[in-house]
Amino acid sequence: MTHQLRYYEAVEQLQLGRRLQQWNWQLVGSPPLGIDIVNAEIDVVCSFSEPAIFAETVWNEFGAAGEFRIWQRTTKERPVVARFRAFGREVEIYGSSVPLRQQLAVRHYEIERRLLCLGGDRLRTSVRRMKQRGIKTEQAFTMSLNLTGDPYEALLRLEDVSDSQLTDLFAEAGLAEDSH
């Protein structure tokens, strides 16, 4: 997967570990899951206690990057979002006062990672095919698994489902490793 290698080279070149060292942070999205498509975005989720300090640091560290913009959303948590281009990729750094493991992007990522571990190649192939057609990751998972409703909520409903229930779900969707 040459494009995945290029993703990690870009992450390394960005020096995220050094530049974001004072916050809990995590890469999320398709490339770390191994279901990325060419030039997938680099998504970084952070947790902070002081939004102004976080925004200032992100501005100072990444403000010279191409197409840099930063803003604070007006939702309850008042997250700070920065977007820019670096090393041929779109980068989004999302920071919130919500603890990292409780942030929706991290929860979705962990659910998707678990589904891929349990669902194997059939699920991975199904999701990747949909993504190649332009379908967003969460929707690709829910479509592959025949889940209904809002894709983001549907994935969250799987958070506490047992492995055996997920295995049954894969079978019902025709994605069980032994089904043909």
Side-chain angles (χ1 to χ4, degrees), residues 24-70:
N24 289 327
W25 65 276
Q26 180 176 331
L27 292 171
V28 296
S30 301
L33 291 170
I35 55 170
D36 56 315
I37 54 176
V38 177
N39 293 329
E41 181 175 276
I42 297 172
D43 288 308
V44 184
V45 180
C46 303
S47 180
F48 58 68
S49 57
E50 294 292 330
I53 294 170
F54 178 79
E56 180 180 0
T57 301
V58 169
W59 180 281
N60 290 337
E61 291 292 337
F62 303 102
E67 302 173 33
F68 181 87
R69 47 199 196 283
I70 189 168

Side-chain angles (χ1 to χ4, degrees), residues 154-170:
L155 281 179
L156 289 177
R157 287 193 299 270
L158 298 178
E159 200 166 24
D160 296 321
V161 171
S162 71
D163 288 358
S164 64
Q165 290 172 305
L166 290 176
T167 300
D168 291 344
L169 181 63
F170 300 141

Side-chain angles (χ1 to χ4, degrees), residues 23 46-51 54 72 77-80 95-98:
W23 294 282
C46 303
S47 180
F48 58 68
S49 57
E50 294 292 330
F54 178 79
Q72 186 169 24
E77 289 85 19
R78 308 255 318 132
V80 173
S96 170
S97 61
V98 175

Side-chain angles (χ1 to χ4, degrees), residues 9-157:
E9 288 172 351
V11 167
E12 184 68 29
Q13 292 290 323
L14 281 168
Q15 299 178 25
L16 295 174
R18 179 187 61 76
R19 294 169 129 179
L20 299 174
Q21 67 185 344
Q22 68 191 92
W23 294 282
N24 289 327
W25 65 276
Q26 180 176 331
L27 292 171
V28 296
S30 301
L33 291 170
I35 55 170
D36 56 315
I37 54 176
V38 177
N39 293 329
E41 181 175 276
I42 297 172
D43 288 308
V44 184
V45 180
C46 303
S47 180
F48 58 68
S49 57
E50 294 292 330
I53 294 170
F54 178 79
E56 180 180 0
T57 301
V58 169
W59 180 281
N60 290 337
E61 291 292 337
F62 303 102
E67 302 173 33
F68 181 87
R69 47 199 196 283
I70 189 168
W71 65 94
Q72 186 169 24
R73 292 189 179 156
T74 58
T75 57
K76 180 179 155 191
E77 289 85 19
R78 308 255 318 132
V80 173
V81 182
R83 291 190 64 86
F84 55 92
R85 288 195 64 76
F87 307 103
R89 295 189 180 263
E90 291 287 326
V91 179
E92 180 175 285
I93 299 175
Y94 177 95
S96 170
S97 61
V98 175
L100 193 63
R101 299 286 171 230
Q102 293 174 24
Q103 290 191 35
L104 290 178
V106 173
R107 290 172 63 198
H108 284 137
Y109 174 81
E110 293 300 331
I111 293 164
E112 292 161 357
R113 187 177 62 75
R114 181 174 173 229
L115 289 170
L116 290 168
C117 286
L118 294 171
D121 288 337
R122 287 181 182 231
L123 177 61
R124 184 176 307 281
T125 299
S126 177
V127 169
R128 190 178 283 129
R129 279 188 189 136
M130 288 186 197
K131 289 182 62 58
Q132 288 169 340
R133 294 192 332 234
I135 296 171
K136 294 281 192 187
T137 303
E138 288 78 6
Q139 187 175 9
F141 271 95
T142 57
M143 289 172 67
S144 294
L145 297 170
N146 298 324
L147 302 175
T148 58
D150 176 83
Y152 297 92
E153 292 298 320
L155 281 179
L156 289 177
R157 287 193 299 270

